[in-house]
């Protein structure tokens, strides 16, 4: 069955450093992959989408890569800030009705 | 600003009760989804709808039903609530042909 793996352990980094989160998937060939941010007690918020024919996508301090050979996406936040502390979810997707499969998420804590 | 509104943030119900969770979106989106989120398991799709009066089962539909009588409203129904349905429930919508989802703030349901 399709499986999405994100590091279940929290990632603790110092303010100003680059945070790198990993999303691996198996038994799946998604047409695209999305990243969402989720704050405690709130719904996820869409951040970035990368398609299977794109290697890299950037938005401000965010960068996403998508390696269909490795079946992996990396999500980078450069010059991280305490306000970036949240849980980040990856969601590969395909199909006509935009059905997504979500990973369990990785919690990021950025310390001053 | 586009919005998905869930009627309750917190809900406590008794075992065996029939429970209605309401979701309304103001973006004229065709697709609507209901997920539940449990620690360590990520978001799991319960049901989705791609049009008024249309519904499709997701990955965990047992014990749930849905109703979509109007385009903007998608209701999740727990026919007879059980304690294992205690969870965070998230509603989302997407525009046809676009994969990025807009989520509501969630309803934390406790069944006692």
């Amino acid at each position: 069955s399709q499986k999405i793996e994100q590091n279940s352990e929290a990632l603790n980094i110092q303010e100003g450093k680059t945070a790198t989160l990993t999303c691996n998937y198996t038994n799946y060939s998604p047409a695209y992959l999305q990243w969402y941010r989720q704050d405690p007690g709130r719904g996820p918020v869409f951040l970035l989408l990368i398609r299977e024919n794109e290697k890299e996508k950037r938005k401000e301090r965010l960068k996403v890569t998508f390696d269909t050979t490795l079946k992996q996406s990396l999500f980078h936040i450069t010059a991280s800030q305490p306000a970036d502390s949240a849980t980040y979810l990856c969601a590969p997707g395909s199909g006509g009705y935009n059905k997504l499969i979500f990973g369990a998420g990785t919690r990021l804590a950025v310390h001053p | 600003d586009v919005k998905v509104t869930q009627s309750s943030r917190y809900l406590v119900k008794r075992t065996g009760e029939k429970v209605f969770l309401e979701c309304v979106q103001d973006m004229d989106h065709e697709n609507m989804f209901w997920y539940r989120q449990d620690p360590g398991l990520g978001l799991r799709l319960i049901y989705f709808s791609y049009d008024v009066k249309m519904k499709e089962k997701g990955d965990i539909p047992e014990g749930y039903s849905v109703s979509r009588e109007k385009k903007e409203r998608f209701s999740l129904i727990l026919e007879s609530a059980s304690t294992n349905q205690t969870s965070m429930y998230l509603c989302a919508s997407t525009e046809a042909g676009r994969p990025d989802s807009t989520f509501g703030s969630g309803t934390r349901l406790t069944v006692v």
Side-chain angles (χ1 to χ4, degrees), chain A residues 34 36 38 41-42 49 98, chain B residues 9 37 98-101 105:
Chain A
Q34 300 182 60
Y36 288 78
Q38 187 174 24
R42 312 297 297 185
L49 177 147
N98 307 323
Chain B
R9 290 297 308 278
Q37 186 175 31
R98 286 183 61 96
D100 49 306
S101 298
S105 293

Side-chain angles (χ1 to χ4, degrees), chain B residues 27-94:
Chain B
M27 299 164 284
D28 202 35
H29 283 176
E30 287 75 14
N31 305 321
M32 295 188 76
F33 305 82
W34 274 107
Y35 296 88
R36 65 176 283 177
Q37 186 175 31
D38 300 288
L41 294 179
L43 278 76
R44 293 180 290 167
L45 182 63
I46 304 171
Y47 267 98
F48 68 102
S49 168
Y50 52 88
D51 201 353
V52 176
K53 297 192 186 296
M54 305 302 287
K55 60 185 179 184
E56 293 282 342
K57 292 180 180 179
D59 301 316
I60 52 164
E62 297 78 20
Y64 304 94
S65 63
V66 291
S67 172
R68 193 161 180 209
E69 295 296 317
K70 293 185 177 181
K71 189 175 185 180
E72 67 270 19
R73 186 180 297 270
F74 192 35
S75 304
L76 180 70
I77 304 152
L78 285 66
E79 298 291 343
S80 177
S82 63
T83 54
N84 63 13
Q85 292 179 310
T86 292
S87 187
M88 169 73 105
Y89 289 88
L90 290 159
C91 174
S93 71
T94 65

Side-chain angles (χ1 to χ4, degrees), chain A:
Chain A
S1 63
Q2 298 161 343
K3 193 174 178 183
I4 314 301
E5 290 183 338
Q6 294 186 256
N7 194 336
S8 58
E9 293 181 12
L11 179 63
N12 291 282
I13 65 167
Q14 209 65 32
E15 182 176 8
K17 300 290 187 185
T18 296
T20 299
L21 285 68
T22 304
C23 175
N24 295 297
Y25 56 91
T26 54
N27 299 322
Y28 197 16
S29 296
Y32 54 83
L33 192 145
Q34 300 182 60
W35 284 89
Y36 288 78
R37 170 186 172 137
Q38 187 174 24
D39 292 291
R42 312 297 297 185
V45 174
F46 171 75
L47 295 175
L48 274 173
L49 177 147
I50 186 166
R51 299 190 183 278
E52 59 181 335
N53 60 349
E54 297 174 311
K55 293 286 187 206
E56 182 180 297
K57 200 81 168 279
R58 292 177 185 261
K59 180 183 176 183
E60 298 172 352
R61 292 184 296 112
L62 309 181
K63 185 178 87 171
V64 173
T65 62
F66 192 11
D67 189 325
T68 55
T69 302
L70 291 178
K71 294 186 178 294
Q72 180 181 79
S73 175
L74 298 179
F75 177 80
H76 307 273
I77 306 176
T78 58
S80 60
Q81 305 165 359
D84 295 325
S85 299
T87 295
Y88 291 86
L89 310 174
C90 76
S94 61
Y97 300 119
N98 307 323
K99 279 182 63 179
L100 301 175
I101 302 173
F102 283 86
T106 297
R107 190 165 61 86
L108 172 67
V110 181
H111 302 283

